[in-house]
């Protein structure tokens, strides 16, 4: 944590080590379920069920590029649509709300969801190969980059100097921070993952009633001074490396009996 990095942080405050610990535990639960659909997809492909294949085959490069673009846009819309359901329908919100306890997220929260949420979100890796012939190597690379790697950036809490939060096309870490900080049941703000168009079409953009609260605008307004940084309480995240911090009932939300 440095001043030079802090000026790009959407929320000037930092999450507590205890909250980061909760993110990691929740992430491990989600990760277990996120592996089911891709593993099943490969298993079905091995026995000729569906249209999954590995390698380039006898199809031209243009086919692979076209199918990859199609699957990426389809999966991005699916992620938005399912995510939005988690904010407008209580049946979905009762699962998704566990992800929103992390209102000031860190990269660990990218798949810190309840198991059912991660199962559904990873399901395109199963049903897309059932719909169209697709190179599984490319499909896995697509999800690895556009959803999981980019998801780490979206949850990191820091805006990148090379991509403005006000760009009209791509969601940035600020949009996802605003989602965590402002969205709840019946307030589906910024549910999109990569493309902004879905939120724009469905009216899910957070209404800025006053000045924008992104780090870029905060810097322009002179709010990210060294004096302000020195007022910030910086937690000791080194405690996350100590076994004693993990070996407690609080780690798994289990209350010790007297």
């Amino acid at each position: 944590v440095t001043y030079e990095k802090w000026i790009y942080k959407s929320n000037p405050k930092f999450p507590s080590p205890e909250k980061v610990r909760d993110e990691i535990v929740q992430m491990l639960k989600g990760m277990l379920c996120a592996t089911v659909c891709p593993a099943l997809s490969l298993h079905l492909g091995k026995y000729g069920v569906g249209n999954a294949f590995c390698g380039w085959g006898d199809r031209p490069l243009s086919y692979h590029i076209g199918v990859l673009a199609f699957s990426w846009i389809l999966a991005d819309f699916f992620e938005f649509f399912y995510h939005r359901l988690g904010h407008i329908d209580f049946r979905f919100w009762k699962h998704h709300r566990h992800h929103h306890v992390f209102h000031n997220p860190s990269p660990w929260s990218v798949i810190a969801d309840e198991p059912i949420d991660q199962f559904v979100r990873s399901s395109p890796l199963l049903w897309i190969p059932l719909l169209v012939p697709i190179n599984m190597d490319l499909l896995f690379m697509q999800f690895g980059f556009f959803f999981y790697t980019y998801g780490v950036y979206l949850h990191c809490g820091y805006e990148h100097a090379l991509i403005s939060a006000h760009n009209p096309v791509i969601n940035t870490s600020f949009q996802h921070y605003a989602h965590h900080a402002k969205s709840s049941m019946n307030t589906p703000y910024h549910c999109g993952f990569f493309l902004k168009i879905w939120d724009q079409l469905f009216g899910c953009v957070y209404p800025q009633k006053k000045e924008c609260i992104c780090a870029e605008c905060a810097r322009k307004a002179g709010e990210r001074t060294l004096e302000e940084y020195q007022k910030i309480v910086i937690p000791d995240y080194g405690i996350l490396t100590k076994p004693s911090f993990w070996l407690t009932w609080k780690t798994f939300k289990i209350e010790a009996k007297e």
Side-chain angles (χ1 to χ4, degrees):
V1 177
T2 65
Y3 171 68
E4 289 74 19
K5 295 176 183 177
W6 174 79
I7 61 175
Y8 292 96
K9 195 172 186 309
S10 297
N11 186 332
K13 298 181 180 179
F14 292 88
S16 68
E18 289 78 13
K19 187 61 72 174
V20 176
R21 179 180 61 191
D22 291 346
E23 287 178 318
I24 295 173
V25 171
Q26 190 82 344
M27 177 272 295
L28 292 172
K29 290 164 56 181
M31 185 170 63
L32 288 174
C33 286
T35 60
V36 174
C37 285
L40 181 58
S41 185
L42 291 177
H43 184 73
L44 293 176
K46 178 181 178 181
Y47 292 99
V49 179
N51 303 286
F53 64 90
C54 293
W56 297 107
D58 57 356
R59 293 175 172 83
L61 180 61
S62 58
Y63 173 85
H64 295 284
I65 294 174
V67 171
L68 186 66
F70 166 77
S71 64
W72 168 51
I73 294 174
L74 180 63
D76 196 56
F77 176 73
F78 176 82
E79 165 66 23
F80 160 78
F81 189 79
Y82 178 72
H83 194 176
R84 183 172 176 270
L85 279 178
H87 288 274
I88 64 174
D89 189 317
F90 184 75
R91 292 170 297 179
F92 293 87
W93 170 249
K94 67 181 181 181
H95 298 287
H96 184 55
R97 65 187 177 88
H98 297 281
H99 185 65
H100 274 264
V101 299
F102 311 118
H103 65 276
N104 186 11
S106 79
W108 293 105
S109 66
V110 62
I111 56 172
D113 296 294
E114 283 296 282
I116 185 63
D117 264 358
Q118 269 308 305
F119 179 83
V120 174
R121 283 179 163 153
S122 63
S123 67
L125 286 162
L126 176 60
W127 54 259
I128 287 179
L130 295 176
L131 293 176
V132 296
I134 190 167
N135 183 322
M136 293 300 289
D137 300 314
L138 291 179
L139 185 62
F140 273 54
M141 289 171 60
Q142 172 197 307
F143 266 75
F145 177 75
F146 285 112
F147 292 95
Y148 298 118
T149 302
Y150 198 74
V152 169
Y153 157 69
L154 290 183
H155 290 83
C156 74
Y158 289 84
E159 300 166 27
H160 200 284
L162 298 181
I163 178 169
S164 171
H166 299 283
N167 85 84
V169 179
I170 299 172
N171 283 308
T172 70
S173 59
F174 168 71
Q175 273 77 44
H176 209 71
Y177 160 69
H179 173 76
H180 274 257
K182 305 296 183 181
S183 290
S184 186
M185 181 63 191
N186 295 322
T187 52
Y189 301 131
H190 298 295
C191 295
F193 207 77
F194 193 80
L195 297 174
K196 283 184 172 180
I197 189 172
W198 314 127
D199 286 305
Q200 294 164 350
L201 288 175
F202 282 77
C204 297
V205 177
Y206 179 69
Q208 295 284 356
K209 296 180 180 179
K210 297 181 180 180
E211 295 181 358
C212 179
I213 58 173
C214 75
E216 179 183 344
C217 291
R219 292 194 303 274
K220 291 179 180 178
E223 298 173 0
R224 295 303 174 94
T225 64
L226 182 59
E227 291 74 20
E228 290 300 314
Y229 171 71
Q230 291 170 341
K231 298 176 184 178
I232 298 296
V233 176
I234 301 175
D236 176 18
Y237 292 118
I239 198 172
L240 287 164
T241 65
K242 297 180 179 179
S244 60
F245 185 65
W246 293 88
L247 299 177
T248 169
W249 294 109
K250 293 181 180 179
T251 300
F252 298 98
K253 297 294 187 295
I254 301 173
E255 295 198 11
K257 295 182 180 180
E258 297 277 328

